[in-house]
Amino acid sequence: MRSMKTKSCIRAMALFIGSLFILLPAHVAGQSSGRIEFTASVAPTGGQPEPVRQLTFYLLRKSIEDIRTEALQSTPATVLDKFIDGLSVSPELKSWMTKHHSVRLSGEDFTKSLSPEDIVGIPEYFKAYMQHNEAYRGVGFPEPKFKGKDLDANPDKYKDQKEEYESAVRKFIATAPDSIKGMDLELLEINPYSKWRSLGDKQRQKLDAQAFRLAEERYVIAHTDTDLEGHGSFAGIDPGRYWIAMLGTEAISGDVRLRWDFPVTVRQGETARVELSNLNAVRSSTAVLNSDN
């Protein structure tokens, strides 16, 4: 009889404990999770911060930059050296582009980078320089003495006089550096920069699309839209390290375009609070090509 009473008590106690678990308040049951509260704002140059209103933010298990690196494995970047090799220009110009890691043949920075040796030694540059300085012929500008007929009839004479002329041109350039200014206008037809930029834009679009797919398929934990005050939150998040990011959109204010890829740590039963601003944002997409020059 006593044994039966003992078993009845044990069963009653088990039922009572089980009912406690069923009736536990929601905040106790979810005690192991955490929460993220954030506010996002963007300030134009010289202006006051404005809330980032009604834009979607994502919580990711991996940073956008790392996801882009992963995506790059299946969307390889266009290699500048390979692009240069495919151009229809002289070997000397290809060598110069490879050395300077640039295909931009325009602008003040470009002309300032040219040495007298570059201009005389690279056929395209020499032709452009001579065309640009056509008006200065006979006003202290060197005049060639070598004749085309000597190339076969007297090659040594031709070679010596050509080298003498090229040396004189180099000296003229060194003493008159302003004569270089504007010669890039003569290179417009062979300047491959716009084609390179176009390839870069297409490559970035492909990489962004691939990174977006990877993020959605593998790394998105949650997403939320900010309210009119720029506030947003993620609730019921397991403890760990995450990234608050934007995918496919940017926060824009005046001349400033921002996105975020901001790390945040969630701790058990705690709320992590984050202020997203110009100071911790990424201003522009990462360049995909080896060089944007």
Side-chain angles (χ1 to χ4, degrees):
M1 188 72 162
R2 184 175 181 179
S3 176
M4 290 180 65
K5 286 183 178 181
T6 301
K7 291 180 179 178
S8 297
C9 288
I10 292 173
R11 282 197 296 271
M13 183 63 71
L15 289 171
F16 175 73
I17 293 172
S19 67
L20 284 179
F21 281 103
I22 294 172
L23 298 174
L24 275 175
H27 72 275
V28 177
Q31 196 170 17
S32 62
S33 64
R35 183 180 179 88
I36 298 172
E37 298 279 351
F38 69 91
T39 301
S41 63
V42 55
T45 302
Q48 295 298 314
E50 302 174 359
V52 177
R53 301 180 177 92
Q54 297 179 322
L55 285 184
T56 302
F57 284 75
Y58 293 81
L59 190 64
L60 307 176
R61 290 191 292 109
K62 193 173 185 177
S63 74
I64 288 291
E65 290 310 307
D66 287 342
I67 294 173
R68 286 174 66 87
T69 300
E70 183 178 341
L72 192 57
Q73 296 175 4
S74 58
T75 311
T78 302
V79 180
L80 182 61
D81 289 351
K82 184 177 179 181
F83 175 79
I84 292 172
D85 286 342
L87 296 175
S88 299
V89 296
S90 69
E92 293 86 353
L93 181 51
K94 288 182 180 181
S95 178
W96 185 92
M97 290 176 175
T98 301
K99 177 182 176 182
H100 290 79
H101 207 66
S102 175
V103 293
R104 177 180 283 181
L105 308 184
S106 62
E108 187 176 352
D109 289 341
F110 162 69
T111 53
K112 283 184 175 180
S113 73
L114 297 177
S115 68
E117 289 74 18
D118 291 333
I119 294 172
V120 175
I122 298 171
E124 291 87 349
Y125 292 170
F126 187 69
K127 180 181 178 181
Y129 178 79
M130 297 302 287
Q131 288 176 339
H132 184 64
N133 288 279
E134 185 71 30
Y136 297 99
R137 300 289 180 85
V139 189
F141 200 90
E143 291 292 335
K145 296 179 181 179
F146 60 92
K147 308 296 182 182
K149 63 181 181 179
D150 291 331
L151 181 59
D152 294 322
N154 195 342
D156 289 339
K157 178 183 177 181
Y158 180 89
K159 179 183 177 184
D160 291 342
Q161 290 182 336
K162 186 172 185 293
E163 288 178 352
E164 180 183 341
Y165 173 68
E166 290 174 347
S167 177
V169 173
R170 283 193 290 268
K171 289 178 182 179
F172 180 85
I173 294 171
T175 57
D178 285 350
S179 64
I180 300 174
K181 292 181 179 179
M183 62 167 278
D184 52 324
L185 296 176
E186 311 294 338
L187 296 168
L188 290 177
E189 291 186 5
I190 66 166
N191 189 352
Y193 182 62
S194 60
K195 183 178 179 182
W196 175 246
R197 286 299 301 269
S198 177
L199 284 175
D201 291 341
K202 291 177 181 178
Q203 187 70 27
R204 273 185 285 274
Q205 290 172 6
K206 287 174 62 177
L207 181 59
D208 286 343
Q210 179 63 12
F212 188 90
R213 283 194 294 270
L214 274 176
E216 281 194 318
E217 293 170 2
R218 303 181 187 180
Y219 302 111
V220 171
I221 300 299
H223 63 84
T224 187
D225 292 341
T226 52
D227 61 20
L228 295 179
E229 300 300 321
H231 300 310
S233 64
F234 300 103
I237 307 302
D238 291 336
R241 183 173 173 83
Y242 302 93
W243 281 262
I244 301 176
M246 302 177 76
L247 298 177
T249 58
E250 294 177 319
I252 303 173
S253 180
D255 60 335
V256 174
R257 307 170 69 93
L258 302 179
R259 61 182 177 85
W260 284 271
D261 189 19
F262 190 78
V264 58
T265 299
V266 176
R267 293 183 174 84
Q268 181 176 327
E270 295 183 5
T271 298
R273 291 181 170 81
V274 175
E275 295 285 339
L276 301 176
S277 68
N278 294 49
L279 297 178
N280 52 21
V282 180
R283 280 189 172 266
S284 59
S285 297
T286 303
V288 176
L289 301 179
N290 287 5
S291 169
D292 198 30
N293 292 329

